[in-house]
Amino acid sequence: MAMRPQNLLFILSDEHTRDISACYGHPIVKTPNIDRLAARGTRFTAAYTNCPICVPARASLQTGRFVADNRCWDNAHPYHGQLPSWGHRLREQGHLAVSIGKLHFRSADDFNGFAEEQMPLHVVEGRGDLLGSIRRPKLLDRKNIKSLARELGPGESGYAGYDRRIRNAACEWLRTRAKQQTKPWILFVSFVKPHFPLIAPPDFFRLYDPAKLPMPRLYSEPDRSTHPVIKALRSCMNYDDFFESSDRVKLALANYLGMVSFLDDNIGQVVTALEEAGLADNTRVLYTTDHGDNQGVRGLWGKSVHYEEAAAIPMILAGADVPANRVARTPVSLVDCYQTILESVGAKPHSEDASLPGRSLFEFTGHDDLERVVLGEYHAAASITACYMLRKGRWKYMHYVGYRPQLFDLEDDPGETRDLGESAVHAEVRRMLEMELRKLIDPEAVCEAAFRDQEATIARNGGIDAVKARGDFGHSPVPGEKPEFA
């Protein structure tokens, strides 16, 4: 049966770990609106980011291409319309694509594919996090790392106020402008929570008692990863060094839960506005995030690694032609959104897009393809080498150029507690997965290309000393605010 062309409401969050939703099995977090969306649609349980950091992940989402193809390596190499996006393709065929909220591209002055960008958050000064591009000869300590432990809620933050404005603008667009369109449209609503700072609005923080929360898994020093790439990253991004006690750690976790519930409430209000506008029957809804958050597991905070907490993402598709209350186990990733969007609104595929790696999520709502392979990459801040992730079936394979690999059996060990990267019994599995990786990418060549591009960017910006003098900032400010450099 042919897919019926319909509008698409695409809701994106920032840094929402997959398993911090009730529908994904979390025992206490309150996410009734995300759960309701999952109940009337298909929930993907093996969805991944293509890069566990904002700018590269969003570039892959926009273009349907892997990081190496975009050459958007880190938060100082933003998308700027240099490759066609799904927005460009929709515009070519007369479909309206409007964004509201965070994009994290270079600038609104570039044509990124949207007919309109409302309240866009782009990278700082059009240049982003230049310090993160300094990866050799050695990593730099990040001065603003301590702000994560210092800036703990409950309270109000610029991000919370920004998300409310995004929510209100999205509701207004659905009420007043959606029905004016003559062809199926896409509204891209991009929230910034639950991205740190870890400050939850008080009404949502009160849903969780920090004292009743357990400490993060694998938090004690003997349980943390000893892999040299992970140890180097943790040493550079040493967030945990600034949490002074277990009480502060639990306070951080409670605020993250509160921010997820705040996000859920905003999603609920936008979906309700869609329904009240009479658009629910001819509009599909897609929800996902750009990457997850480690939340103290293994002593790690933020993202930047390929463990499930940072790399696995929620992905839910609901609406016409989508099975209700279905759990899909096919491995998928952000690049699959490209074909999904075009198919949902009825746009014809472009001949130049035939080689893109993604496939429409609609292909996997009715059956599972457990042998499908998805790829993640990380070439960004605090990485001493290129880091790759491959998910195929039960296996999760991490490949580090110049260092030993990691391997996890996610069926027997979903918490990734037993690294099989040096297990003699699993040598053939690792060989098979490395072959799969090399079918998709040349790990060594891409690693060197990233280093060269980053070094060229540093040189264009005056060299390492000039970049260090510019300073470090903890997170990108919302529109109208200035970054706080340290």
Side-chain angles (χ1 to χ4, degrees), residues 45-270:
T45 59
Y48 290 90
T49 183
N50 299 108
C51 183
I53 196 171
C54 295
V55 166
R58 289 163 181 269
S60 288
L61 169 63
Q62 200 70 10
T63 65
R65 299 171 185 267
F66 294 140
V67 175
D69 197 2
N70 285 322
R71 301 179 85 94
C72 294
W73 306 110
D74 57 25
N75 281 0
H77 291 83
Y79 178 68
H80 53 90
Q82 70 271 32
L83 292 167
S85 68
W86 46 261
H88 291 101
R89 298 303 189 216
L90 294 179
R91 185 181 178 92
E92 290 165 2
Q93 299 183 46
H95 297 276
L96 182 68
V98 172
S99 77
I100 303 176
K102 179 175 179 175
L103 291 174
H104 231 193
F105 302 157
R106 183 173 68 180
S107 170
D109 295 331
D110 299 315
F111 178 46
N112 301 309
F114 294 106
E116 182 181 355
E117 296 179 7
Q118 291 191 30
M119 295 182 288
L121 187 161
H122 289 301
V123 300
V124 171
E125 300 171 346
R127 299 186 293 167
D129 177 26
L130 293 171
L131 281 173
S133 287
I134 301 175
R135 300 170 54 219
R136 66 180 185 187
K138 65 177 182 178
L139 301 174
L140 298 180
D141 290 336
R142 303 302 297 263
K143 294 180 180 179
N144 247 319
I145 292 299
K146 59 186 177 183
S147 65
L148 182 73
R150 185 181 66 238
E151 298 174 355
L152 289 180
E156 288 297 327
S157 67
Y159 277 0
Y162 181 47
D163 273 359
R164 292 189 187 97
R165 295 193 296 274
I166 293 167
R167 174 200 68 202
N168 293 341
C171 292
E172 180 66 14
W173 195 93
L174 292 166
R175 285 192 294 262
T176 62
R177 293 184 55 190
K179 290 184 179 180
Q180 299 172 9
Q181 309 309 314
T182 58
K183 296 186 72 171
W185 44 260
I186 175 170
L187 180 64
F188 182 64
V189 181
S190 183
F191 294 113
V192 73
K193 287 293 190 182
H195 192 289
F196 56 79
L198 294 168
I199 301 172
D203 288 349
F204 295 92
F205 174 82
R206 280 193 286 268
L207 297 174
Y208 307 100
D209 182 353
K212 295 181 179 179
L213 297 179
M215 290 292 285
R217 293 187 310 109
L218 308 175
Y219 187 75
S220 65
E221 196 68 40
D223 292 331
R224 298 182 181 187
S225 176
T226 59
H227 193 284
V229 175
I230 305 302
K231 289 180 68 175
L233 184 142
R234 187 191 174 279
S235 178
C236 177
M237 297 283 202
N238 58 334
Y239 295 106
D240 197 65
D241 292 356
F242 299 98
F243 285 94
E244 299 165 352
S245 66
S246 61
D247 289 344
R248 296 288 289 175
V249 171
K250 292 182 179 183
L251 180 62
L253 299 179
N255 274 282
Y256 186 84
L257 294 174
M259 293 192 301
V260 170
S261 290
F262 173 67
L263 163 71
D264 180 83
D265 185 72
N266 286 327
I267 290 173
Q269 292 190 49
V270 173

Side-chain angles (χ1 to χ4, degrees), residues 241-317:
D241 292 356
F242 299 98
F243 285 94
E244 299 165 352
S245 66
S246 61
D247 289 344
R248 296 288 289 175
V249 171
K250 292 182 179 183
L251 180 62
L253 299 179
N255 274 282
Y256 186 84
L257 294 174
M259 293 192 301
V260 170
S261 290
F262 173 67
L263 163 71
D264 180 83
D265 185 72
N266 286 327
I267 290 173
Q269 292 190 49
V270 173
V271 173
T272 296
L274 178 80
E275 295 166 347
E276 291 177 347
L279 297 166
D281 291 339
N282 66 345
T283 305
R284 299 184 182 95
V285 181
L286 173 60
Y287 170 66
T288 189
T289 194
D290 56 356
H291 51 73
D293 186 294
N294 289 297
Q295 298 167 82
V297 177
R298 299 177 182 83
L300 300 169
W301 299 85
K303 46 270 189 179
S304 304
V305 294
H306 291 303
Y307 294 119
E308 292 287 279
E309 290 79 19
I313 57 177
M315 192 171 285
I316 300 169
L317 181 62

Side-chain angles (χ1 to χ4, degrees), residues 27-39:
I28 66 169
V29 73
K30 295 174 174 59
T31 52
N33 298 293
I34 293 173
D35 302 341
R36 182 163 67 101
L37 199 61

Side-chain angles (χ1 to χ4, degrees), residues 4-8 184-185 280-284 319-320 343-346:
R4 288 175 282 172
Q6 288 200 340
N7 311 316
L8 181 64
W185 44 260
D281 291 339
N282 66 345
T283 305
R284 299 184 182 95
E343 184 174 8
S344 184
V345 302

